[in-house]
């Protein structure tokens, strides 16, 4: 198991935007960390009130957004205009091309969100946008599937990659497990809190990667910890 500490990530500060990058992104480049399997981006973004990203384009990428605090207003070239709130998840298949903007609509409060990019196995698909509420607050020592290939996991978004994205919450003293089987690998990102993963203690922003058969046991240390787990399959 390899550990990627929060303070080792890249950092961008534009005044209105503060962002931590788990992998090379924008002006931050680290040849040791350009992605993991099909996972290309985990950006931990803070956007000030009334600020945001103007209209810009993407191609051939599966993009997931998870708001942790505040709100994020999305508008795109497919005609969608929606506000994303905590507990809701957005997925956008950029496919052969989509343009969108993201801004914090609040006049007073910052917005905090994670944006994730996964490289698809099929290029040039029709672009699409979906947004849905998930019962994240009800997760206690359990996993909730947010996205999976062909929506194999019931209730999850479909993405064009053999990857399953899981959200988990573990309480103090509770445990969450995930088995990494033959032909699989995993990236675990701690959203907040403090957990013990097998023999290692991870805190907010830390991550662990596994490329061998094992069982990841996540034991809660803080009152409640939130996790994202990316399971990569060779189907």
């Amino acid at each position: 198991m390899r550990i990627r500490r929060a303070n080792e990530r890249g950092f961008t500060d534009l005044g209105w935007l503060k962002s931590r990058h788990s992998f090379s992104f924008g002006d931050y480049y680290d040849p040791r960390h350009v992605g993991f399997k099909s996972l290309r981006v985990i950006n931990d973004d803070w956007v000030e009130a009334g600020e945001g990203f103007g209209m810009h384009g993407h191609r051939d990428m599966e993009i997931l957004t998870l708001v942790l605090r505040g709100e994020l207003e999305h508008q795109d070239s497919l005609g969608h205009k929606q506000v994303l709130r905590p507990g809701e998840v957005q997925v956008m298949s950029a496919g052969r091309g989509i343009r969108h903007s993201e801004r914090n609509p609040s006049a007073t409060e910052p917005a905090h969100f994670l944006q994730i990019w996964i490289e698809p196995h099929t290029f040039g698909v029709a672009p699409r946008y979906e947004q849905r509420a998930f019962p994240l607050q009800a997760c206690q020592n359990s996993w909730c599937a947010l996205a999976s290939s062909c929506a194999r996991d019931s209730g999850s978004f479909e993405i064009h990659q053999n990857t399953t994205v899981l959200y988990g919450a573990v309480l103090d003293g509770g445990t969450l497990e995930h088995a990494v089987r033959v032909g699989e690998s995993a990236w675990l990102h701690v959203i907040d809190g403090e957990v013990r993963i097998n023999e290692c203690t991870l805190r907010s922003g830390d991550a662990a990667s596994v490329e061998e058969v094992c069982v990841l046991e996540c034991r809660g240390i803080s009152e409640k910890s939130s996790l994202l787990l990316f399971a990569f399959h060779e189907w």
Side-chain angles (χ1 to χ4, degrees), residues 27-198:
D27 292 334
Y28 165 65
Y29 177 70
D30 183 342
R32 300 167 301 168
H33 300 285
V34 294
F36 182 79
K37 306 302 180 179
S38 58
L39 181 59
R40 292 292 174 264
V41 170
I42 303 178
N43 284 348
D44 194 348
D45 291 341
W46 289 88
V47 173
E48 292 298 322
E51 300 287 352
F53 304 91
M55 194 66 70
H56 59 284
H58 296 284
R59 291 180 64 89
D60 293 321
M61 199 66 70
E62 304 292 291
I63 301 173
L64 284 82
T65 304
L66 174 64
V67 171
L68 306 175
R69 297 175 184 82
E71 298 181 342
L72 192 64
E73 183 181 84
H74 165 95
Q75 189 168 357
D76 64 43
S77 54
L78 300 179
H80 301 101
K81 184 175 182 179
Q82 295 179 250
V83 175
L84 189 66
R85 299 178 175 87
E88 296 178 318
V89 180
Q90 169 198 105
V91 65
M92 186 170 65
S93 291
R96 54 179 174 261
I98 190 171
R99 293 178 59 79
H100 77 136
S101 63
E102 299 162 296
R103 62 178 297 273
N104 179 359
S106 172
T108 57
E109 300 298 322
H112 181 202
F113 58 96
L114 295 177
Q115 186 160 102
I116 297 142
W117 294 9
I118 297 172
E119 186 175 4
H121 54 48
T122 304
F123 290 177
V125 301
R128 88 184 201 283
Y129 173 87
E130 292 184 74
Q131 179 177 324
R132 188 187 311 159
F134 285 83
L136 303 184
Q137 295 300 319
C139 286
Q140 294 187 1
N141 303 326
S142 63
W143 295 109
C144 173
L146 304 183
S148 60
S149 176
C150 301
R152 290 169 63 103
D153 291 87
S154 179
S156 66
F157 287 119
E158 176 184 2
I159 56 173
H160 300 283
Q161 185 53 270
N162 299 332
T163 302
T164 300
V165 183
L166 302 169
Y167 170 92
V170 59
L171 305 181
D172 183 13
T175 59
L176 263 177
E177 290 188 354
H178 177 78
V180 181
R181 299 179 175 87
V182 175
E184 297 181 341
S185 52
W187 181 277
L188 181 73
H189 176 88
V190 180
I191 299 173
D192 55 34
E194 185 176 2
V195 295
R196 189 158 184 82
I197 311 295
N198 297 357

